[in-house]
């Protein structure tokens, strides 16, 4: 005798299926929103620099971001006591103080799209530092990615005609290398004994903001113009793009493989180029477009290799 299926049973099964699909879609949605925010964030950063000099802007931005992330700790039931403070201080100096000072200064000196792509060379510096400091040998497709990235850098930087772009390029590459060093430090901290990522990020951001405040006081820069535009930009980039964006990244990492998540972030510098073209009329030259394509393709090779499980998981992501 054939079993009859009621309409109610069909509805319940359909709703259950939709709930499952909705749950699996949430990490991807978080990743999409985060990537859009981080990509647009480079342009927002440039807008903020119209009313503030790099060091003062960086100090103000990171102060607000650090306080917001610290408030997340009790709100999510986490302890307010920092753990392993000496390790956090080292990470703070590298991943907050130096990284954000260099990247903001680079944006002030160069075009948004070029700087974003140069900073996103971080994974290649990570390979180099992991090889030297952690004994992780570069192999297989990683060499292809390194070669492509090298060609991309040559096309993007164009060393035969540096002109006024030399300082911005150097600062951006320095930011990429600093970000990579921060990633290696995070990896060593987690290898020694796993630490909660949100707590780690909140406290290292807090500690790293202190040198930024000192730098902003010490370097002679004009005062910030507290215009409505600057206040809006500061709120967007501090609370939204740095605070909320990082929480979305952690959520995506908790629910997707690190390789898969990192692959999606490749869209960030592309979004930076598109948004900069809209806001500032920046149009990359043909050679710059070739360089950006080569770097993006090299990053894709690394990410696909990570998804396949041939390389270690990438770092926890930028704080932009």
């Amino acid at each position: 005798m054939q079993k009859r299926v009621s309409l109610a049973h069909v509805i319940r099964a359909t709703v259950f299926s939709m709930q499952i699909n909705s749950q699996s879609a949430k990490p991807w949605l978080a990743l999409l929103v985060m990537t859009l925010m981080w990509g647009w964030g480079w342009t927002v950063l440039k807008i903020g620099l119209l009313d503030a000099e790099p060091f003062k802007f960086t100090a103000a931005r990171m102060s607000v971001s650090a306080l917001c992330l610290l408030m997340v700790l009790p709100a999510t039931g986490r302890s307010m006591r920092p753990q392993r403070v000496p390790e956090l201080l080292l990470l703070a100096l590298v991943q907050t103080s130096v990284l954000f000072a260099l990247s903001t200064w680079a944006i002030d000196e160069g075009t948004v799209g070029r700087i974003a792509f140069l900073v996103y060379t971080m994974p290649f510096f990570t390979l180099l530092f992991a090889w030297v400091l952690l004994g992780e040998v570069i192999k297989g497709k990683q060499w292809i990615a390194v070669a492509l990235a090298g060609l991309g850098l040559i096309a993007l930087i164009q060393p035969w005609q540096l002109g006024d772009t030399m300082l911005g390029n150097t600062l951006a590459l320095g930011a990429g290398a600093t970000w990579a060093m921060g990633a290696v430090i995070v990896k060593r901290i987690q290898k020694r004994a796993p630490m909660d990522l949100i707590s780690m990020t909140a406290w290292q951001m807090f500690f790293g903001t202190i040198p930024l405040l000192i730098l902003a006081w010490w370097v002679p820069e004009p005062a910030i113009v507290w215009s409505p535009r600057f206040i809006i930009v500061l709120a967007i980039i501090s609370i939204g793009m740095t605070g909320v964006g990082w929480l979305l990244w952690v959520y995506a990492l908790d629910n997707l493989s690190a390789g898969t998540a990192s692959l999606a972030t490749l869209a960030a510098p592309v979004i930076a180029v598109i948004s900069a073209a809209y806001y500032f009329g920046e149009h990359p030259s043909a050679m710059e477009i070739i360089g950006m394509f080569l770097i993006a393709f090299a990053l894709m090779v690394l990410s696909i290799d990570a998804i396949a499980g041939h390389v270690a998981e990438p770092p926890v992501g930028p704080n932009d």
Side-chain angles (χ1 to χ4, degrees):
M1 184 176 177
Q2 201 171 28
K3 185 176 179 180
R4 294 179 63 184
V5 180
S6 67
L7 178 60
H9 180 80
V10 173
I11 292 174
R12 283 197 298 270
T14 303
V15 170
F16 180 71
S17 176
M18 290 174 63
Q19 288 175 339
I20 293 176
N21 291 334
S22 175
Q23 289 296 325
S24 61
K26 285 181 180 179
W28 287 103
L29 180 60
L31 203 57
L32 173 63
V33 173
M34 180 220 71
T35 303
L36 290 171
M37 291 171 67
W38 281 356
W40 184 46
W42 293 99
T43 299
V44 175
L45 190 61
K46 187 79 169 181
I47 295 172
L49 288 167
L50 297 175
D51 295 310
E53 295 299 315
F55 299 125
K56 282 186 169 55
F57 185 26
T58 305
R61 168 198 177 182
M62 300 313 297
S63 296
V64 176
S65 298
L67 291 175
C68 288
L69 281 178
L70 283 176
M71 288 191 297
V72 169
L73 298 183
T76 55
R78 289 174 168 84
S79 172
M80 283 295 291
R81 290 185 62 184
Q83 297 180 342
R84 296 153 62 184
V85 173
E87 292 174 281
L88 286 177
L89 290 175
L90 175 61
L91 180 61
L93 182 63
V94 173
Q95 191 160 279
T96 293
S97 304
V98 179
L99 172 57
F100 284 97
L102 288 178
S103 59
T104 307
W105 189 5
I107 283 289
D108 190 52
E109 292 289 337
T111 59
V112 173
R114 174 195 289 260
I115 297 302
F117 267 95
L118 290 176
V119 173
Y120 265 77
T121 57
M122 176 274 294
F124 308 106
F125 286 109
T126 303
L127 283 179
L128 176 62
F129 294 153
W131 185 16
V132 175
L133 300 176
L134 302 177
E136 297 180 2
V137 180
I138 301 174
K139 55 185 178 181
K141 294 177 183 176
Q142 294 175 343
W143 283 113
I144 299 175
V146 169
L148 289 171
L151 293 173
L153 281 175
I154 293 172
L156 195 57
I157 295 175
Q158 301 174 47
W160 54 88
Q161 53 175 27
L162 282 175
D164 295 333
T165 65
M166 183 174 180
L167 179 57
N169 293 341
T170 303
L171 292 170
L173 288 174
T178 303
W179 184 5
M181 182 57 68
V184 172
I185 293 172
V186 169
K187 193 169 183 180
R188 296 183 75 167
I189 289 174
Q190 296 296 73
K191 187 175 181 180
R192 179 182 175 189
M195 190 184 301
D196 179 78
L197 291 178
I198 294 180
S199 178
M200 177 197 295
T201 301
W203 281 110
Q204 67 89 18
M205 194 175 290
F206 174 79
F207 291 137
T209 299
I210 297 173
L212 290 174
L213 290 169
I214 296 173
L215 187 64
W217 169 78
W218 181 69
V219 176
E221 291 180 333
I224 295 174
V225 179
W226 291 92
S227 64
R229 175 179 63 187
F230 180 76
I231 294 171
I232 292 172
V233 164
L234 183 63
I236 290 174
I237 203 164
S238 301
I239 301 172
M241 295 174 179
T242 303
V244 176
W246 200 89
L247 293 176
L248 290 173
W249 172 246
V250 171
Y251 174 73
L253 278 181
D254 283 342
N255 291 274
L256 299 169
S257 71
T260 302
S262 64
L263 185 60
T265 64
L266 300 184
V270 177
I271 294 169
V273 172
I274 295 171
S275 60
Y278 177 79
Y279 282 99
F280 298 110
E282 294 182 4
H283 299 290
S285 66
M287 186 63 72
E288 287 177 326
I289 291 173
I290 291 172
M292 291 174 184
F293 174 80
L294 288 172
I295 291 174
F297 189 72
L299 288 169
M300 188 178 298
V301 170
L302 279 184
S303 297
I304 292 174
D305 203 35
I307 292 171
H310 298 309
V311 296
E313 289 189 351
V316 295
N319 293 323
D320 286 321

